[in-house]
Amino acid sequence: MNAMHEDIKTILYSEEQIRARVKELGAQITKDFEGSMPIVIGILKGAIIFYADLMRELDLAAQLEFMIVSSYGAGTTPGQLVFKKDTDANLEGRNILIVEDIIDSGNTLYLLKNELEKRKPAMVKICAFLDKPARRTAQIKADYVGFVCADEFVVGYGLDFAEKYRNLPYIGVLKPSVYEK
Ligand code: IMP
Ligand code: MG
């Protein structure tokens, strides 16, 4: 028995549901970005699984780039963005799509979008696999969302708890006993 699966209380989105939704997102993004070669920026590590699936649903020539960022907020203010890995791609005049695992407070994406706007792209759009609107404090909205989910801590499909569960193929809610350990 796989120890990861035993820690999951409920499955929120199955592999089949995810596959179908990513296909729909891919079709929508393909349509919206038609005729341009967007720079698609994956935010590591959380977005990696979603990113890899989504990219193969885009019927577009795209440039693949990655960043590692974290935000340190002070209370309800968006705070400071730290680039642990930036991209050296020239964004000027380009269409940018940021791909993120989840929007929670929205701080990370709020700060990141502002930073990228300074590099004079033609446009910046955001695609988040999950959206937890209940916890939003920053003024930011994703242009594309896989699923809107309730305010529960979820893991799998790239999302972790203490660096574990990222490679679960579905989105699940952890058993409380796992946190309480
Ligand atoms: P925020 O939108 O700036 O608050 O931060 C979003 C980041 O917090 C995501 O990129 C995740 O790394 C992490 N995060 C938020 N909610 C969850 C969750 O339910 N499970 C796992 N990671 C989460
Ligand atoms: Mg993250």
Side-chain angles (χ1 to χ4, degrees):
M1 185 64 181
N2 182 315
M4 286 200 298
H5 297 290
E6 282 172 8
D7 291 348
I8 302 301
K9 185 174 73 175
T10 45
I11 294 178
L12 277 188
Y13 304 110
S14 69
E15 287 187 71
E16 291 69 28
Q17 286 173 296
I18 291 172
R19 199 174 304 122
R21 186 67 190 119
V22 172
K23 227 178 220 311
E24 289 174 354
L25 285 173
Q28 185 64 52
I29 292 166
T30 297
K31 205 168 134 247
D32 293 353
F33 284 80
E34 207 156 36
S36 77
M37 181 176 165
I39 298 181
V40 186
I41 303 176
I43 309 304
L44 301 174
K45 302 173 199 173
I48 181 131
I49 311 284
F50 174 47
Y51 185 97
D53 284 348
L54 181 68
M55 292 313 291
R56 284 172 290 178
E57 296 296 340
L58 297 187
D59 189 12
L60 287 172
Q63 181 174 337
L64 284 65
E65 298 289 340
F66 300 93
M67 285 183 170
I68 303 178
V69 294
S70 32
S71 66
Y72 298 95
T76 55
T77 64
Q80 201 78 38
L81 189 74
V82 176
F83 285 92
K84 290 196 209 153
K85 183 214 180 311
D86 200 346
T87 171
D88 54 12
N90 181 7
L91 307 189
E92 197 175 335
R94 302 289 299 273
N95 291 337
I96 311 299
L97 180 66
I98 302 172
V99 176
E100 186 44 312
D101 51 0
I102 186 167
I103 314 191
D104 191 32
S105 70
N107 287 346
T108 311
L109 282 170
Y110 175 85
L111 294 165
L112 180 60
K113 193 175 180 187
N114 280 355
E115 277 307 309
L116 296 188
E117 297 280 10
K118 292 180 191 163
R119 302 181 192 183
K120 311 260 184 287
M123 67 161 167
V124 180
K125 300 250 185 205
I126 293 171
C127 177
F129 181 66
L130 296 176
D131 185 2
K132 269 192 209 170
R135 290 173 46 90
R136 195 67 31 82
T137 54
Q139 286 295 318
I140 190 89
K141 212 177 150 289
D143 301 281
Y144 308 95
V145 168
F147 298 101
V148 176
C149 72
D151 186 13
E152 285 188 284
F153 196 82
V154 295
V155 293
Y157 202 63
L159 290 137
D160 74 307
F161 172 63
E163 293 303 327
K164 202 174 165 185
Y165 311 106
R166 289 195 199 273
N167 59 320
L168 269 181
Y170 52 80
I171 294 281
V173 180
L174 275 184
K175 286 179 184 167
S177 58
V178 179
Y179 293 93
E180 288 155 13
K181 261 179 211 167

